[in-house]
Amino acid sequence: MHPRDPRSSQFRPGLGGVVLHGAAPLLGIVALALVMDLLVAPLLPEAWYAKVLADIGINIVLAVSLNMVNGFTGQFSIGHAGFMAIGGYTAAAVVYYGSIALWGDAGFHGGYFSYCGLGHFNGPWFGGGDLLFVAACLIGGLVAAVVGVFVGLPSIRLRGDYLAIVTLGFGEIVRILIQQTPGVLPPESAATVPAPGRYLHLGGALGFTNHPFYTTIFWIWLAVGATVLVAWRLRNSTYGRAFLSIREDEIAAAAMGVPILLYKVMAFTFAAFFAGIAGGLFAHQLGSTLNPADLGFAKSFDILIMIVLGGLGSISGAILAAAGLTILPELLRNPPHVWPLLVPVVPIALALLLYRRRRLARGWGILAGGIVLLEIARDLAVAHGVQLSDYRMVFYALSLILVMILRPEGLLGTRELWELWPRKRKGGAGVRASS
Amino acid sequence: MVSPLFELRHVSLAFGGLKAVDRVDLALPAGGLHGLIGPNGAGKTTVFNLITGIYRPDEGDLRLAGRRLNGLSPHRIAHAGIARTFQNIRIFAQLTVLDNVRVGCHVRARHTMAQAILRTAGHIAGERLIQADARALLDTFGLADHAQELAGSLPHGQQRRLEIARALATHPTLLLLDEPAAGMNPTEKAALKALIRRIRDHYQLAILLIEHDMSLVMDLCEQITVLDYGQVIARGTPPEVQNNPKVIEAYLGEPIPGASANPRAEGATRGNTKNAGTAGTAETRPEDHPGPEGGQG
């Protein structure tokens, strides 16, 4: 068939297909959030683990969104915490000063799904505070996205290390600007300061305090679902492929008609939006004091490490690495034995050796050796009462060095988890029949 | 004469003091197969980079079907209907073969990014169209069996073909091929020759070809333009060009023995290596590397 044949554009899917396509994933996201909130969180042995579950979710949002810039379009941004800070402070200001304007106090006005206090909650299912909180997070995301446009603009002229320096500088500028803001106004005197200036009372270096807490596992995992869905759909569309082509070769991408400047800035905008939402969620966690020092370049690096470790461009890799690197320090607090991992690893290594798969056997052998070393280190640390979590950064660095030596492209490279095992790929017969 | 599909009028470009392209005129009719030859460093790839918007001409006009293309950024040139391949292959190595071609189809995507994220009917229809188009191209180019392989894992000859397929996916009216036969063995070259003819006849587009393999150029092209030191030194049909003394001089040097004081003497060695068909020595010429800011337009 001649590719310029006009008749091939007449395909229209049925209404049912559209509804299914549109609604099913949204229901799936809500279901994920509900399962995490109502099933997984209560089953955790200690309430404290719920905090880890929440952190995992926020880190997944951050990692998957940064992956849109660094993984999809191949730019090198290391200022992601700056967007998180902008979103977080915007959301906190909207919730705090909004609560004062609406209800005259800065207390909790949410419903069941926003309740993150201790003890039983016997309020309504939904409250006005829920709406305020969700709106605040979205506003935080939008403000961050607008800033993202301006941070993305230098990428027109800069690339690689130079863009990294610009984004690093951006993150630090945001942090320092927030540190210069005056203290949070108490509810009584908030009304005495005129509106635009009022919202700039963000607490400065002391941090934003006394705002109500709304962030629950439910909201976090709702955001996780939405972020992953958008990232996934974006990547598996013609726009996502255009983004990836910029990463692969800018000159060739432009010659194929990809507007690289526009798409680079768009990647920044998307990433900033979701980072802003993650910031809003981060800001309203139980007991949180929103402090600019927590949102400096160390946080940006944490997120960067996650996506590099997971494999730049891989969505499932970013999710896995975000979860793994969030759990790791918690495991180090009270390290479990690691030798049980040898039970599967050693036979696999031996079997590979037996079948003369030298390269694979070596990899698994290194893994077994690593487990032995970890076990020795763990036992020594426990015997001497060393708090391993103090050496969190050392383990970070070591694991990064190991990954960079053994798998320089990250755990999954640019692939997804389920693409690791070779199999018959779909997408052939059905589509070809229609062409 | 009918007005040509594509025209370069007096186009010049200088890098500092070096006139890389000097008042070049070139005209292609629709469906024409035109060769652009010349010794190494003659400015051929620079002409391509000028046409595709990587460089802006200092003077002169670029016209496609009457429309002036000067100063348009590379992606707008692609939208206007000019596609190209590259001298050093620039496929998207970490994308699959199918995705490489689908990126080429991106220029024609009618659905918006919002539609893609919401997975609307427009998105589904648009993606199907792209998929069908890309599959058809892969079939034509004998790459259908490799559709899901990473493009970087293909052998050299297939990467070249993939690059052409990707360029055709933009549905150009003018296709620029930059040394498509470089690094190919005689069998592959014969297949390429047939392929280029088939592309021209099947898609009815004009092809402008840079090539160092003279037998390929002479067999394929209807018209040939010869460049040397950025200037057009000859043009015409293959036999005319072959017998043009200026061309012979540019390639082989002046036929006066012992003329070492003449700057052309150095040109002689250039030409000779090229005639032997070794195209791989062109790596260090400035024209091969559009530079980091090149793609930004």
Side-chain angles (χ1 to χ4, degrees), chain A residues 287-351:
Chain A
S288 109
T289 299
L290 195 54
N291 197 310
D294 296 336
L295 300 172
F297 74 88
K299 181 74 189 168
S300 294
F301 269 71
D302 279 351
I303 309 164
L304 183 71
I305 287 169
M306 284 169 195
I307 59 169
V308 172
L309 200 66
L312 284 171
S314 169
I315 294 173
S316 51
I319 295 172
L320 273 185
L325 287 181
T326 315
I327 295 169
L328 181 68
E330 306 302 332
L331 287 181
L332 291 175
R333 259 185 240 279
N334 188 12
H337 284 283
V338 285
W339 65 262
L341 290 174
L342 288 174
V343 175
V345 169
V346 169
I348 290 174
L350 287 177

Side-chain angles (χ1 to χ4, degrees), chain A residues 16-377:
Chain A
V18 172
V19 170
L20 199 71
H21 259 91
L26 298 183
L27 291 176
I29 292 172
V30 175
L32 169 76
L34 285 174
V35 165
M36 284 294 178
D37 193 58
L38 300 175
L39 290 176
V40 178
L43 282 178
L44 294 171
E46 286 177 59
W48 168 73
Y49 283 116
K51 166 84 173 119
V52 180
L53 187 64
D55 286 347
I56 290 175
I58 290 178
N59 283 335
I60 288 177
V61 173
L62 289 168
V64 170
S65 59
L66 182 62
N67 201 21
M68 292 181 193
V69 175
N70 292 28
F72 291 5
T73 59
Q75 306 176 84
F76 200 66
S77 164
I78 47 176
H80 212 47
F83 297 119
M84 189 185 171
I86 289 173
Y89 270 91
T90 307
V94 168
V95 165
Y96 180 79
Y97 293 111
S99 286
I100 293 170
L102 286 171
W103 297 294
D105 64 77
F108 177 76
H109 291 275
Y112 179 80
F113 287 104
S114 297
Y115 178 69
C116 49
L118 303 168
H120 188 63
F121 177 73
N122 48 15
W125 281 94
F126 289 103
D130 293 338
L131 283 179
L132 180 66
F133 170 64
V134 171
C137 283
L138 290 176
I139 292 170
L142 288 175
V143 171
V146 171
V147 176
V149 173
F150 291 101
V151 178
L153 284 178
S155 68
I156 291 171
R157 289 278 167 222
L158 303 172
R159 67 190 66 199
D161 312 349
Y162 303 101
L163 182 65
I165 291 167
V166 168
T167 54
L168 180 73
F170 155 74
E172 287 305 283
I173 289 168
V174 169
R175 183 178 65 82
I176 288 164
L177 282 181
I178 292 171
Q179 276 179 351
Q180 309 309 316
T181 56
V184 178
L185 296 166
E188 310 85 67
S189 60
T192 61
V193 181
R198 187 193 309 160
Y199 296 102
L200 292 177
H201 287 72
L202 298 173
L206 293 173
F208 202 116
T209 47
N210 296 328
H211 56 295
F213 306 126
Y214 285 98
T215 304
T216 54
I217 302 281
F218 175 77
W219 294 120
I220 288 174
W221 284 85
L222 203 63
V224 170
T227 310
V228 173
L229 185 77
V230 169
W232 180 256
R233 286 180 159 185
L234 190 63
R235 207 194 58 184
N236 290 296
S237 74
T238 189
Y239 293 95
R241 289 189 294 272
F243 277 26
L244 293 174
S245 75
I246 296 173
R247 177 191 75 192
E248 293 296 313
D249 191 321
E250 271 185 33
I251 289 167
M256 292 303 112
V258 174
I260 50 177
L261 312 183
L262 178 69
Y263 286 2
K264 277 173 154 186
V265 174
M266 271 187 156
F268 259 102
T269 313
F270 270 101
F273 176 72
F274 288 108
I277 286 181
L281 294 167
F282 176 82
H284 294 88
Q285 280 181 299
L286 179 63
S288 109
T289 299
L290 195 54
N291 197 310
D294 296 336
L295 300 172
F297 74 88
K299 181 74 189 168
S300 294
F301 269 71
D302 279 351
I303 309 164
L304 183 71
I305 287 169
M306 284 169 195
I307 59 169
V308 172
L309 200 66
L312 284 171
S314 169
I315 294 173
S316 51
I319 295 172
L320 273 185
L325 287 181
T326 315
I327 295 169
L328 181 68
E330 306 302 332
L331 287 181
L332 291 175
R333 259 185 240 279
N334 188 12
H337 284 283
V338 285
W339 65 262
L341 290 174
L342 288 174
V343 175
V345 169
V346 169
I348 290 174
L350 287 177
L352 287 170
L353 206 61
L354 206 64
Y355 285 98
R356 296 180 180 276
R357 303 292 297 276
R358 285 273 190 89
R359 279 180 60 89
L360 274 174
R362 201 179 63 179
W364 285 84
I366 292 171
L367 188 63
I371 293 170
V372 172
L373 283 178
L374 273 181
E375 178 64 27
I376 293 170

Side-chain angles (χ1 to χ4, degrees), chain B:
Chain B
M1 187 182 148
V2 246
S3 79
L5 169 82
F6 177 74
E7 233 183 331
L8 289 181
R9 272 189 215 151
H10 263 62
V11 169
S12 297
L13 177 72
F15 295 116
L18 175 77
K19 276 257 181 189
V21 174
D22 194 1
R23 283 163 291 161
V24 166
D25 290 302
L26 202 118
L28 259 96
L33 230 168
H34 200 111
L36 188 60
I37 63 171
N40 254 351
K44 305 181 296 297
T45 300
T46 309
V47 168
F48 270 26
N49 286 341
L50 278 169
I51 296 173
T52 52
I54 291 175
Y55 300 135
R56 277 154 206 247
D58 295 335
E59 55 170 330
D61 261 357
L62 302 151
R63 280 175 193 280
L64 183 72
R67 183 180 165 202
R68 200 160 168 269
L69 299 179
N70 294 36
L72 289 186
S73 52
H75 77 268
R76 291 202 188 280
I77 301 254
H79 275 268
I82 298 179
R84 73 174 290 185
T85 66
F86 294 88
Q87 186 174 0
N88 349 61
I89 301 178
R90 287 178 176 270
I91 50 163
F92 307 128
Q94 291 291 315
L95 300 188
T96 64
V97 170
L98 177 65
D99 282 353
N100 265 271
V101 180
R102 288 201 281 183
V103 169
C105 298
H106 181 71
V107 276
R108 288 175 290 113
R110 291 282 166 269
H111 54 295
T112 63
M113 197 180 274
Q115 282 180 313
I117 289 168
L118 296 173
R119 286 284 192 266
T120 62
H123 161 84
I124 296 167
E127 291 287 334
R128 286 221 184 185
L129 194 60
I130 288 173
Q131 175 92 350
D133 239 32
R135 286 276 176 189
L137 271 169
L138 288 184
D139 279 338
T140 311
F141 281 78
L143 292 165
D145 293 340
H146 307 283
Q148 298 296 346
E149 286 170 30
L150 290 187
S153 68
L154 290 181
H156 183 86
Q158 291 188 342
Q159 291 193 359
R160 287 246 175 242
R161 265 191 289 160
L162 174 60
E163 226 191 359
I164 300 175
R166 187 184 65 181
L168 284 176
T170 65
H171 286 189
T173 47
L174 171 64
L175 177 65
L176 310 178
L177 299 175
D178 197 346
E179 294 196 30
M184 283 190 172
N185 62 36
T187 331
E188 286 173 323
K189 278 179 186 170
L192 180 78
K193 216 187 295 184
L195 183 69
I196 292 175
R197 276 210 188 94
R198 215 169 68 220
I199 292 168
R200 195 268 306 262
D201 298 341
H202 190 76
Y203 301 103
Q204 283 139 29
L205 39 78
I207 294 178
L208 181 59
L209 179 82
I210 293 180
E211 188 49 65
H212 282 301
D213 186 307
M214 284 308 141
S215 71
L216 191 114
V217 177
M218 298 301 163
D219 276 7
L220 264 180
C221 299
E222 292 140 2
Q223 287 285 319
I224 292 175
T225 300
V226 190
L227 282 185
D228 195 23
Y229 292 103
Q231 288 176 322
V232 176
I233 56 168
R235 67 180 91 232
T237 60
E240 284 168 13
V241 165
Q242 264 171 318
N243 298 321
N244 188 316
K246 275 187 171 173
V247 178
I248 296 167
E249 187 196 319
Y251 270 90
L252 300 175
E254 270 180 54
I256 304 162
S260 58
N262 193 313
R264 291 285 175 182
E266 166 244 4
T269 44
R270 287 188 306 159
N272 279 336
T273 52
K274 272 311 170 191
N275 257 1
T278 50
T281 50
E283 304 292 353
T284 50
R285 312 297 304 209
E287 62 177 55
D288 298 332
H289 299 284
E293 73 283 6
Q296 299 297 306

